[in-house]
């Protein structure tokens, strides 16, 4: 059900993006940031980073359950991953790379190879769309080439805000307990008013800022415990690494979707089991089964 819902939004977003590239028309579900020469998919989120996190984390969840899912769901998950790529967020690209690499290294079955193969073919087709392809591809290539550049654009603003956060922590001698929940924007209203985001865009630094080493440690221990509770931690590792990477450039853990996604991991049942119905039958009382 989740794949159908997210897939529908992703498919409509891809169509809106394609219409912009081929016809020059602007539709909802996409956004053109100030100073950017390309259109980015935003979906129903308020910024591309959040949409990218939703897409790549759901893609990781589908890959975890791939042995039980239908071919239709797997194909839709590729559409979701494509939408994630076209959010043009570097953290999403990095996370998708980690997820695909770990999946290939862990599982070399045809179903996994087919998913990765279709993903790469679809990516090639999408990136070759549009009139005057080489012209509009240049900004995308520039974006890719600057993936590790931190001295310009939004990356420069993020670095500036992170430095301010550490300066606040040091000046207030609050490394253990932090400075209070969501207090960064209150201390730096002037910075917020001139920026495109109004929160400390790194979930881990934000947690340190809000609740100190105590809160950050508890959060990391909790996430580690959730990862270890999955029946096959190696299979779910890509999801949690993706969560760490996407949350390093936006505070996605403040939102509900990462926790809902984590709740969909099993805690003791084998994801390679033939069907969900087998689990249901096994857990039903004997009297009812008879």
């Amino acid at each position: 059900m989740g794949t159908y819902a997210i897939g529908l939004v992703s498919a409509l977003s891809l169509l809106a993006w394609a219409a912009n590239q081929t016809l020059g028309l602007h539709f909802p579900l996409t956004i053109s940031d100030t100073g950017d020469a390309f259109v980015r998919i935003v979906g129903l989120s308020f910024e591309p980073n959040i949409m990218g996190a939703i897409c790549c984390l759901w893609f990781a969840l589908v890959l975890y359950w791939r042995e039980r899912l239908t071919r239709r769901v797997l194909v839709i998950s590729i559409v979701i991953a494509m939408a994630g790529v076209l959010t043009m967020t570097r953290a999403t690209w990095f996370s998708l790379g980690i997820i695909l690499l770990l999946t290939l290294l862990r599982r070399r079955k045809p179903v996994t190879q087919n998913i990765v193969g279709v993903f790469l073919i679809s990516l090639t087709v999408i990136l070759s769309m549009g009139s005057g392809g080489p012209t509009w591809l240049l900004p995308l290539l520039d974006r890719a080439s600057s993936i590790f550049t931190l001295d310009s654009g939004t990356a420069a603003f993020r670095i500036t805000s992170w430095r301010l956060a550490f300066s606040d922590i040091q000046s207030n001698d609050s490394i253990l307990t932090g400075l209070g929940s969501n207090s960064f924007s209150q201390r730096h209203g002037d910075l917020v008013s001139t920026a495109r985001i109004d929160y400390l865009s790194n979930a881990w630094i934000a947690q340190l800022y809000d609740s100190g080493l105590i809160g950050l440690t508890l959060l990391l221990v909790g996430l580690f415990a959730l990862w270890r509770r999955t029946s096959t931690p190696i299979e779910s590792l890509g999801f949690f690494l993706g969560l760490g990477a996407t949350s390093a450039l936006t505070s996605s853990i403040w939102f509900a979707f990462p926790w809902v996604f984590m709740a969909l991991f099993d805690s003791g049942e084998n994801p390679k089991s033939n069907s969900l119905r087998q689990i249901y039958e096994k857990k039903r009382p004997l009297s009812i089964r008879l």
Side-chain angles (χ1 to χ4, degrees):
M1 291 174 61
T3 302
Y4 291 143
I6 300 175
L8 176 61
V9 174
S10 298
L12 293 175
S13 299
L14 286 171
L15 290 175
W17 183 88
N20 181 277
Q21 298 302 321
T22 57
L23 304 175
L25 302 176
H26 178 72
F27 291 96
L29 308 178
T30 61
I31 188 173
S32 180
D33 290 340
T34 304
D36 288 342
F38 50 83
V39 174
R40 308 169 68 182
I41 283 179
V42 69
L44 298 178
S45 304
F46 68 90
E47 66 175 34
N49 292 66
I50 299 299
M51 179 63 177
I54 291 173
C55 291
C56 74
L57 293 181
W58 190 265
F59 185 61
L61 190 62
V62 169
L63 287 178
Y64 180 82
W65 290 108
R66 61 189 175 277
E67 300 290 347
R68 291 197 196 163
L69 300 175
T70 64
R71 182 177 301 177
R72 180 186 302 173
V73 171
L74 296 178
V75 170
I76 296 175
S77 73
I78 296 173
V79 174
I80 293 172
M82 290 299 102
V85 170
L86 293 178
T87 60
M88 307 293 184
T89 57
R90 289 168 284 192
T92 300
W93 294 351
F94 182 71
S95 300
L96 282 172
I98 291 176
I99 292 165
L100 289 172
L101 179 61
L102 289 177
T103 303
L104 278 177
L105 291 177
R106 180 64 180 169
R107 304 289 296 171
R108 299 181 181 179
K109 287 187 176 182
V111 62
T112 301
Q113 296 172 350
N114 291 339
I115 292 173
V116 176
V118 173
F119 175 86
L120 295 177
I121 292 172
S122 302
L123 180 61
T124 302
V125 171
I126 286 178
L127 294 183
S128 65
M129 290 177 57
S131 57
T135 302
W136 68 263
L137 275 177
L138 287 177
L140 178 61
L141 296 176
D142 290 340
R143 182 78 170 180
S145 64
S146 64
I147 190 169
F148 297 111
T149 302
L150 302 176
D151 57 356
S152 62
T154 56
F157 170 75
R158 288 188 174 97
I159 293 296
T160 299
S161 64
W162 299 347
R163 287 173 178 168
L164 278 174
F166 283 116
S167 176
D168 290 345
I169 293 172
Q170 184 177 11
S171 61
N172 288 275
D173 194 22
S174 56
I175 187 66
L176 283 179
T177 59
L179 294 169
S181 179
N182 200 29
S183 59
F184 177 81
S185 58
Q186 300 174 41
R187 287 184 171 85
H188 300 285
D190 55 338
L191 180 64
V192 172
S193 63
T194 59
R196 287 183 288 179
I197 55 177
D198 57 358
Y199 58 93
L200 190 56
S201 57
N202 183 308
W204 318 115
I205 297 177
Q207 191 67 30
L208 180 67
Y209 191 95
D210 292 351
S211 56
L213 283 176
I214 296 174
L216 178 60
T217 301
L218 289 174
L219 174 62
L220 293 177
V221 169
L223 289 173
F224 179 79
L226 287 172
W227 169 61
R228 291 296 300 171
R229 279 181 60 83
T230 61
S231 62
T232 52
I234 296 299
E235 295 281 351
S236 62
L237 182 59
F239 175 93
F240 285 90
L241 290 179
L243 175 64
T246 54
S247 297
L249 292 180
T250 187
S251 294
S252 59
I253 63 172
W254 283 86
F255 302 95
F257 71 88
W259 305 102
V260 173
F261 292 4
M262 281 185 277
L264 294 176
F265 280 104
D266 58 316
S267 57
E269 300 293 345
N270 192 335
K272 300 172 189 176
S273 178
N274 291 333
S275 69
L276 294 172
R277 184 171 182 81
Q278 290 182 352
I279 298 176
Y280 172 70
E281 293 289 347
K282 183 165 53 177
K283 290 184 175 180
R284 292 171 66 190
L286 181 60
S287 58
I288 296 179
R289 185 163 59 244
L290 292 175

